[in-house]
Amino acid sequence: MASKRGRIDTFIAKQLQIPKKSVRSLIANQQLLLNGDIVITPDTQIDEFSLIECQGEILQQRQRAYWMLYKPQGVVSATVDEQHQTALDLLEGVDKDLLHIAGRLDLNSTGLLLITNDAKWSQALMSPDNKVTKRYLVTLANPIDDTYVEAFAGGMWFEYEGITTQAATLIIVSRYQAIVELKEGKYHQIKRMFGRFNNPVVALHRESIGLIELDNTLQPGEFRALSADEVSLVN
Ligand code: URA
């Protein structure tokens, strides 16, 4: 989701269904306030979190919201779905306006999902340029060995996308379990990487995104607001 930046005159004209000429006269009469200050020019920039008042009436007021959800299996990482319960359905009692998911997980994957209405923040987390590390605990059907470590680090050719995956870290935890750290998020990436070894993924659990760790006091399906410190870990 893109941040909703734009000009205040465009916003007011659309909101009040009036021509831009009328917006200019509102401005000339000092009847338009942005975050409590009188608006001087029609091209003043606003975003989805700007407090906008016109003739004493609030036209837009929205707080930034940041949630962490322990996604259980069988819940889809989407805002709406005809078939399955969605991650947003689990956020009971929460205002869903503009909420979106910063980094999806497959239907059967579990673990950390970050959900926000702040598009700038989620873009910073998910932009390929920022190479934010996502850490997963992966359980495999067959034993793993050191040859996997090299293959993950060396990158794998993905025919469909026409790319070679970036160097990924694989740490063997036990015969059937590994920690995998990715700096990107291609479709079914981890399953496809283990697929090269004909080794099906039995369970996939995201432990962290960047410096934000899944709160280990949360149970599957539970969520909480991010602390201000956690929010500030993304920039
Ligand atoms: N890779 C996958 O294959 N699935 C996920 O849910 C996340 C990463």
Side-chain angles (χ1 to χ4, degrees):
M1 180 177 284
S3 177
K4 295 192 177 329
R5 279 194 74 77
R7 291 167 59 118
I8 196 161
D9 59 346
T10 308
F11 173 87
I12 299 290
K14 193 164 167 216
Q15 195 77 8
L16 300 181
Q17 306 271 298
I18 57 174
K20 289 222 174 138
K21 203 168 75 178
S22 310
V23 180
R24 281 198 292 278
S25 71
L26 284 170
I27 291 172
N29 292 320
Q30 305 195 333
Q31 288 178 320
L32 210 49
L33 299 186
L34 170 59
N35 300 327
D37 296 329
I38 293 168
V39 175
I40 312 285
T41 59
D43 64 354
T44 301
Q45 291 292 301
I46 58 160
D47 65 25
E48 63 272 45
F49 301 108
S50 304
L51 169 61
I52 300 169
E53 295 166 83
C54 182
Q55 297 178 306
E57 202 189 317
I58 294 175
L59 297 186
Q60 177 177 277
Q61 186 175 35
R62 189 181 282 122
Q63 301 297 319
R64 288 177 170 78
Y66 308 90
W67 303 100
M68 89 162 49
L69 168 72
Y70 185 156
K71 180 191 160 322
Q73 279 197 346
V75 167
V76 70
S77 295
T79 48
V80 280
D81 192 88
E82 308 245 303
Q83 225 186 326
H84 297 101
Q85 192 175 37
T86 69
L88 258 66
D89 292 336
L90 294 178
L91 301 192
E92 270 176 38
V94 166
D95 176 7
K96 310 279 164 70
D97 179 35
L98 296 189
L99 281 189
H100 57 277
I101 296 163
R104 290 159 193 276
L105 283 173
D106 294 342
L107 186 66
N108 290 323
S109 301
T110 60
L112 178 62
L113 261 198
L114 295 174
I115 302 172
T116 181
N117 61 2
D118 185 345
K120 232 171 123 187
W121 188 83
S122 57
Q123 272 158 18
L125 258 186
M126 291 303 131
S127 164
D129 296 341
N130 292 346
K131 298 191 191 304
V132 173
T133 302
K134 274 79 71 178
R135 192 177 74 238
Y136 301 85
L137 176 63
V138 191
T139 308
L140 287 314
N142 304 316
I144 43 178
D145 58 44
D146 286 341
T147 58
Y148 287 61
V149 178
E150 221 172 288
F152 274 61
M156 293 180 191
W157 172 248
F158 275 16
E159 182 77 41
Y160 181 73
E161 293 90 344
I163 55 117
T164 300
T165 58
Q166 291 172 31
T169 305
L170 184 144
I171 300 160
I172 297 175
V173 176
S174 66
R175 249 163 85 78
Y176 293 91
Q177 275 201 320
I179 298 282
V180 173
E181 290 181 344
L182 296 183
K183 291 194 189 309
E184 61 190 337
K186 302 294 174 211
Y187 179 67
H188 289 333
Q189 181 163 348
I190 292 180
K191 290 176 188 152
R192 288 161 76 191
M193 291 178 89
F194 282 103
R196 295 292 162 91
F197 294 88
N198 292 318
N199 196 348
V201 169
V202 173
L204 183 48
H205 178 81
R206 185 155 63 200
E207 299 181 330
S208 65
I209 301 177
L211 296 171
I212 303 177
E213 303 268 343
L214 178 63
D215 183 334
N216 61 17
T217 66
L218 290 178
Q219 298 299 313
E222 290 184 344
F223 65 98
R224 70 158 171 82
L226 293 190
S227 67
D229 283 349
E230 286 169 325
V231 172
S232 70
L233 292 172
V234 179
N235 42 45

